[in-house]
């Protein structure tokens, strides 16, 4: 049984290598200006232009750091001979859960019409951010017994990351400035698609396993 779970965690060699590269880029993007010369690291450390850093920026920035535990999972999958311990998986789920809660809290100003965005931006942010968080979390719960433990962890990280990234991409879509000042936004726009495809693949395989 564990051998099968280990094999499923490693997955298809070329796809795992591709996703490792995608998440490596995502990890580097944490230090790159996402919008208005502000990176995720700047947001978390409250180094926001105009001294405007607050709890909202912290909660927006933190989930992007999920790229690092995902890198650890992808690297381990290349050569690991045993699965991470149950304690290690629980730690990952605590991190995933906190990230999802943070994203929901970030959505509060949009729910209460306090974000200062246009109505279409508000609806898209709520639809994507909350939509991904709620729908995928429900799917993870329903399919928790038909998805291997490590694949479940990967899907959980991708859910939390994509819910937050979708929100950020919409909110800062109209941010002006030189390309280098919003390079993180442009790179993230490219990396979220293979992540989403990987997440959809995991759910699809779970349906096939039950049929």
């Amino acid at each position: 049984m564990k051998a099968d779970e280990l094999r499923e965690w490693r997955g298809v060699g070329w796809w795992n290598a591709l996703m490792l590269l995608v998440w490596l880029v995502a990890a580097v993007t944490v230090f790159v200006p996402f919008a208005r010369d502000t990176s995720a690291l700047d947001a978390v450390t409250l180094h926001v232009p105009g001294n405007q850093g607050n709890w909202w920026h912290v909660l927006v920035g933190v989930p992007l750091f999920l790229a690092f535990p995902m890198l650890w999972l992808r690297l381990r999958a290349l050569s690991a001979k045993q699965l991470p311990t149950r304690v290690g998986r629980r730690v990952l789920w605590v991190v995933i859960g906190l990230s999802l809660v943070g994203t929901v809290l970030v959505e509060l100003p949009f729910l209460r019409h306090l974000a200062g965005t246009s109505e279409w931006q508000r609806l898209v942010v709520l639809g994507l951010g909350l939509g991904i968080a709620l729908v995928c979390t429900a799917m993870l719960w329903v399919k928790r017994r038909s998805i291997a433990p490590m694949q479940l962890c990967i899907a959980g990280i991708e859910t939390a990351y994509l819910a937050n990234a979708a929100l950020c991409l919409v909110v800062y879509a109209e941010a002006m400035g030189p390309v280098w000042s919003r390079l993180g936004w442009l790179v993230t726009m490219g990396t979220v698609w293979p992540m989403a495809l990987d997440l959809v693949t995991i759910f699809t395989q779970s349906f096939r396993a039950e049929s």
Side-chain angles (χ1 to χ4, degrees), residues 94-210:
V94 169
V95 172
I96 292 167
L98 290 175
S99 296
L100 286 169
V101 169
T103 298
V104 172
L105 291 176
V106 166
E107 298 278 359
L108 289 180
F110 297 93
L111 284 170
R112 301 176 62 188
H113 296 269
L114 299 176
T117 56
S118 64
E119 188 62 20
W120 77 266
Q121 280 183 313
R122 174 178 172 273
L123 292 176
V124 172
V125 166
L126 291 174
L128 287 177
L130 283 181
I132 292 173
L134 296 177
V135 172
C136 291
T137 298
M139 288 284 290
L140 288 171
W141 177 257
V142 171
K143 296 295 182 181
R144 66 189 185 282
R145 300 189 188 283
S146 56
I147 301 177
M150 292 316 302
Q151 287 295 88
L152 199 63
C153 288
I154 288 175
I157 293 177
E158 288 174 336
T159 294
Y161 186 95
L162 288 172
N164 180 74
L167 181 153
C168 294
L169 289 171
V170 174
V171 170
Y172 296 109
E174 298 179 357
M176 304 302 291
V179 171
W180 60 266
S181 70
R182 51 192 176 89
L183 183 60
W185 187 95
L186 296 171
V187 174
T188 302
M189 177 59 82
T191 56
V192 294
W193 298 107
M195 295 177 189
L197 178 59
D198 189 53
L199 182 59
V200 170
T201 300
I202 291 174
F203 286 137
T204 301
Q205 289 175 342
S206 72
F207 281 108
R208 290 177 178 172
E210 292 181 347

